[in-house]
């Protein structure tokens, strides 16, 4: 069993050996067809964020971003993910395109119950929690960490899963100077479709309606606030660090 990282200090690159950790794997998911009775009957579904934004409050409005205080960089990155993905619904968020919602608040369900909900409601959206984790990623996280299926999808478990994905996106390489902040932002955008590329578009733009939910300017400002030292390093400095 692999301990879930409460912080980057409990993680090692040696354990970072799994494929497809992204919530949005570059290879498109197999097509699915919603069953009769579903609000998506007759629609091909590829991504858990197809067709509509993720857990979006009425009117499309969202609360202003608030950066957490303190020195926990992973907590701050998670806050940016929350702002781009689950917004006001937080740990109990689910994709509102789901015609059959989870039976209970997500943070009170066990991992087994979430898997069962996914199996019982084929053809609809299943991204769930503060970090909008889709079923394939959730299953890989469960297998990788060895968590019991009776584990509750509580806030601390959701945070730990997000930490795994952030670290997999290159957090440790960013901190040791072998990855630039700009490159790290791109890697995060490959995991969470709400993040933009420098073009302002989602890495998954054009794939079943996915789009960035925050501007690249704001994304860059948030990340520079979290990583001021790394933000001051240019590509040249990173190349030197990577090739001493």
């Amino acid at each position: 069993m692999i301990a879930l990282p409460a912080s980057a200090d409990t993680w090692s690159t040696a354990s970072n050996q799994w494929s497809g950790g992204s919530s949005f794997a570059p290879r498109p998911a197999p097509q699915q067809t919603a069953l009769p009775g579903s609000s998506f009957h007759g629609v091909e579904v590829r991504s858990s964020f197809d067709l509509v934004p993720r857990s979006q409050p009425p009117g499309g409005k969202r609360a202003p971003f608030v950066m957490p205080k303190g020195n926990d960089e992973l907590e701050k990155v998670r806050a940016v993910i929350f702002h781009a993905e689950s917004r006001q619904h937080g740990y109990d968020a689910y994709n509102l395109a789901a015609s059959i919602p989870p039976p209970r608040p997500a943070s009170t369900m066990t991992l087994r119950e979430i898997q069962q909900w996914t199996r019982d409601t084929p053809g609809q959206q299943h991204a769930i929690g503060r970090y909008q984790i889709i079923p394939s990623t959730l299953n890989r996280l469960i297998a990788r960490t060895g968590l019991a299926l009776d584990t509750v999808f509580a806030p601390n478990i959701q945070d730990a899963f997000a930490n795994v994905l952030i670290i997999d996106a290159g957090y440790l390489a960013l901190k040791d100077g072998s990855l630039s902040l700009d490159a790290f932002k791109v890697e995060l955008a490959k995991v969470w479709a709400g993040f933009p590329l420098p073009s302002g578009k989602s890495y998954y733009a054009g794939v079943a309606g996915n789009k960035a939910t925050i501007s690249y300017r704001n994304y860059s400002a948030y990340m520079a606030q979290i990583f001021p030292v790394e933000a001051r390093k240019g590509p040249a400095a990173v190349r030197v660090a990577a090739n001493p």
Side-chain angles (χ1 to χ4, degrees):
M1 176 174 175
I2 299 176
L4 286 170
S7 70
D9 292 338
T10 63
W11 192 258
S12 69
T13 54
S15 64
N16 183 13
Q17 299 294 327
W18 71 322
S19 60
S22 168
S23 296
F24 287 87
R27 183 178 303 169
Q31 293 182 4
Q32 303 176 57
T33 301
L35 297 179
S38 166
S39 59
F40 293 98
H41 180 50
V43 177
E44 291 181 349
V45 179
R46 291 179 181 271
S47 162
S48 288
F49 291 147
D50 286 354
L51 306 177
V52 299
R54 55 259 338 103
S55 179
Q56 182 173 347
K61 296 180 181 179
R62 80 180 81 162
F65 176 70
V66 177
M67 184 70 74
K69 297 180 180 179
N71 300 318
D72 189 334
E73 293 174 338
L74 292 180
E75 178 187 13
K76 292 179 179 180
V77 175
R78 294 197 310 266
V80 182
I81 298 167
F82 162 62
H83 181 60
E85 298 291 342
S86 58
R87 304 177 187 179
Q88 72 175 11
H89 301 286
Y91 294 102
D92 292 325
Y94 66 92
N95 190 295
L96 294 183
S99 56
I100 303 176
R104 296 200 314 279
S107 66
T108 69
M109 297 175 68
T110 66
L111 300 175
R112 188 191 311 279
E113 289 171 332
I114 293 173
Q115 290 179 329
Q116 188 63 51
W117 169 63
T118 299
R119 289 191 294 269
D120 290 345
T121 57
Q124 70 168 17
Q125 321 295 349
H126 293 110
I128 194 167
R130 191 177 196 244
Y131 310 104
Q132 292 290 274
I133 297 176
I134 64 173
S136 59
T137 299
L138 180 63
N139 291 340
R140 285 193 295 268
L141 286 165
I142 293 170
R144 180 177 178 182
T145 60
L147 280 177
L149 292 180
D150 291 330
T151 301
V152 175
F153 195 52
N156 65 314
I157 296 299
Q158 295 187 37
D159 287 348
F161 279 167
N163 286 350
V164 172
L165 297 176
I166 294 167
I167 292 169
D168 282 355
Y171 173 79
L172 297 180
L174 172 71
K175 298 305 295 181
D176 70 20
S178 59
L179 185 73
S180 71
L181 182 57
D182 284 343
F184 181 56
K185 289 185 296 185
V186 170
E187 293 305 309
L188 288 176
K190 294 177 182 179
V191 181
W192 286 282
F195 286 153
L197 298 172
S199 65
K201 295 183 178 181
S202 169
Y203 183 81
Y204 300 92
V207 178
N210 286 312
K211 62 181 180 180
T213 60
I214 59 177
S215 69
Y216 188 73
R217 178 179 181 179
N218 285 346
Y219 181 36
S220 296
Y222 301 150
M223 298 302 284
Q225 185 177 350
I226 298 170
F227 302 107
V229 174
E230 290 77 10
R232 290 193 292 269
K233 294 180 180 179
V238 172
R239 284 195 298 272
V240 171
N243 300 284

